[in-house]
Amino acid sequence: MTTDMMATTQNQNALKYWSPIAYTRFMLYITAYVLRTTVRHLFGRTPKGQKLLEGYTIQVLKLVMGTSVLNIAQSRKMMDVSNAVVHLRNGTFRQKSKDQWATKVKGSGWEGFWIPFKDQSSKEALKRDLQKNPTPADVGTDCDIIMFAIHGGGMVMGDALMFLGNYRAWMKELHTKYNIKAAFLSVEYSMSPEVPYPGALNECVAAYRHLLETQRVDPRRIVMCGDSAGGNLCLATALKIRDEYPHLGLPAGQVLFSPWVMCPQPLKDSPDDYISNRGGRTFMECYTQMLAKVQTSPYAAPIRAQTLAGMPRMLVFIGGIETLRPSIERFVEKATAEGVDLEVHLAEGRSHDYALIEEISGRKIVREADETVARFVASTRDRHIGLAV
């Protein structure tokens, strides 16, 4: 059997639906992980400052993302549940509430959500803006900065509005502290194994080109942001634009949360992180189909780029105990050596995507990250186009 046929068979098997046996197995693993975390917490073996509930949440996420218990289809279902909990906390659980913030848009070869600027300085102003009905023609308008957002999920799960609460927080922070009106274009890329590489990358590039070529947006007004696999796509999209569409111009900056740079060295599992070697390998296999030419391409593995020279300035968040930390640090070293302007925030004792998820880090830490993002975006805007847009 060829490598392509094996990959296809694996992907088909990964799409089997949830079963009672799988559910029982999942619950047994949850029980074991909770007991293990409780014992480690009692004996002071968990990271300093981590609350017990945060440890429990990380262990549940480890089951969802690790692929050692669930297959891809089952992990997607559990991720949908996780996202629903977050939307419930943010007040966007109902579709109607999401529609007040985000408008479905699409273009040639891509689709996503346009999240226009909303004035959150008062209840009256927010209520007025929520009643507006933007159209696809409004993409890129009535704002100073456009955050080009690409969600994570290992290329196989998640959705374009999974971090809507964070986007709202950045929008408010930028407006109230820096008088900057920020809006978001969140790309809803097709997820492998149905659409492997370069499907997601092509869609992200198409969305970026739409902003510049159709909506006539100045690239200096764009800041990319992405977490984990979304960070991979942010970097790959910028590399693709730099190499193949230099006339378009790169975005002013990039905000990367625990970016998956697909380092060739094997991952070493962290007991307090929910990203595992096995899960990372499964996601990589789904995305690359085990093709050597893909796995070594800089557009799939940004750390393999011949040079990162000319890339936008970057804000990078790294969890001190996350499994991806060594690979991200190697990427940071490479980028710094090649002249990229980087601002790096390393949070000791924190796991993957800590700066985005209150359930694993606490509201205070995420709030501090929100302030850091807003400060970086404001300084990027001022550096490129000054105070007047």
Side-chain angles (χ1 to χ4, degrees):
M1 184 178 291
T2 66
T3 300
D4 288 350
M5 291 174 63
M6 290 176 63
T8 301
T9 301
Q10 291 170 354
N11 292 338
Q12 289 173 345
N13 291 336
L15 294 175
K16 290 180 180 177
Y17 291 104
W18 188 273
S19 70
I21 294 177
Y23 175 79
T24 302
R25 188 183 181 200
F26 180 72
M27 295 307 297
L28 287 173
Y29 269 83
I30 282 184
T31 303
Y33 277 26
V34 165
L35 288 174
R36 176 176 177 272
T37 302
T38 302
V39 171
R40 294 183 73 240
H41 183 81
L42 290 174
F43 287 92
R45 300 296 299 276
T46 50
K48 184 178 179 181
Q50 183 188 85
K51 297 179 181 178
L52 187 57
L53 185 58
E54 294 169 358
Y56 291 157
T57 304
I58 288 170
Q59 297 306 315
V60 172
L61 288 174
K62 180 180 289 188
L63 289 175
V64 174
M65 301 292 291
T67 72
S68 59
V69 179
L70 306 179
N71 61 39
I72 296 299
Q74 294 160 352
S75 292
R76 283 177 173 173
K77 290 180 181 294
M78 294 305 300
M79 180 61 77
D80 288 342
V81 173
S82 175
N83 289 343
V85 171
V86 173
H87 281 302
L88 185 63
R89 167 169 57 80
N90 292 329
T92 52
F93 181 77
R94 296 183 304 160
Q95 186 61 46
K96 181 180 179 181
S97 60
K98 293 186 181 73
D99 291 343
Q100 288 183 310
W101 286 91
T103 299
K104 186 72 174 180
V105 293
K106 63 180 180 179
S108 178
W110 71 276
E111 60 183 50
F113 290 91
W114 172 242
I115 306 169
F117 168 74
K118 306 287 186 183
D119 187 346
Q120 302 175 66
S121 60
S122 68
K123 291 183 178 179
E124 293 75 17
L126 179 58
K127 182 178 179 180
R128 179 197 64 224
D129 281 1
L130 287 175
Q131 291 174 341
K132 295 179 180 178
N133 296 308
T135 69
D138 296 320
V139 171
T141 65
D142 298 326
C143 61
D144 304 317
I145 286 290
I146 299 165
M147 301 293 290
F148 186 89
I150 310 176
H151 70 85
M155 308 288 190
V156 299
M157 61 186 78
D159 66 75
L161 296 180
M162 62 192 294
F163 293 119
L164 177 58
N166 303 84
Y167 301 161
R168 288 162 48 185
W170 304 346
M171 185 186 295
K172 182 177 181 179
E173 187 78 12
L174 279 164
H175 187 220
T176 56
K177 280 195 175 181
Y178 303 100
N179 194 32
I180 294 175
K181 296 180 179 180
F184 293 76
L185 179 61
S186 186
V187 182
E188 185 73 286
Y189 58 86
S190 302
M191 293 181 286
S192 59
E194 294 90 339
V195 185
Y197 176 89
L201 173 60
N202 287 344
E203 293 174 53
C204 293
V205 171
Y208 184 83
R209 292 182 63 187
H210 178 87
L211 279 178
L212 274 64
E213 296 174 338
T214 302
Q215 301 302 113
R216 302 298 180 185
V217 172
D218 187 333
R220 295 176 300 174
R221 292 176 53 214
I222 300 175
V223 175
M224 289 182 171
C225 62
D227 74 292
S228 194
N232 175 294
L233 287 170
C234 279
L235 291 167
T237 298
L239 285 168
K240 196 82 169 178
I241 295 297
R242 183 199 67 178
D243 297 343
E244 298 187 10
Y245 304 95
H247 63 285
L248 290 179
L250 288 169
Q254 294 189 316
V255 181
L256 308 172
F257 302 89
S258 302
W260 182 32
V261 296
M262 215 177 288
C263 188
Q265 285 86 354
L267 302 176
K268 182 179 179 181
D269 285 354
S270 166
D272 296 295
D273 191 25
Y274 57 91
I275 298 299
S276 67
N277 181 47
R278 179 168 179 168
R281 187 170 61 250
T282 299
F283 299 151
M284 182 180 70
E285 290 172 356
C286 287
Y287 187 54
T288 68
Q289 301 290 284
M290 298 300 291
L291 299 176
K293 65 179 181 180
V294 175
Q295 293 178 329
T296 57
S297 168
Y299 307 126
I303 200 169
R304 292 180 180 270
Q306 184 174 1
T307 178
L308 295 170
M311 288 285 279
R313 67 189 302 243
M314 301 176 189
L315 170 62
V316 183
F317 291 91
I318 311 173
I321 56 171
E322 71 167 297
T323 299
L324 296 182
R325 174 179 174 176
S327 63
I328 301 171
E329 289 180 329
R330 280 193 284 270
F331 175 84
V332 167
E333 290 173 3
K334 175 180 172 64
T336 301
E338 293 172 354
V340 179
D341 180 7
L342 284 101
E343 178 182 337
V344 180
H345 289 260
L346 173 67
E348 296 293 348
R350 294 298 167 182
S351 60
H352 188 73
D353 270 3
Y354 79 92
L356 291 169
I357 307 174
E358 288 186 16
E359 287 74 11
I360 64 174
S361 302
R363 182 173 179 79
K364 181 176 182 294
I365 288 178
V366 173
R367 177 60 181 160
E368 290 172 351
D370 293 340
E371 294 171 354
T372 300
V373 171
R375 185 168 58 250
F376 174 83
V377 172
S379 67
T380 298
R381 194 284 298 263
D382 292 346
R383 176 179 301 193
H384 280 272
I385 52 181
L387 296 175
V389 179

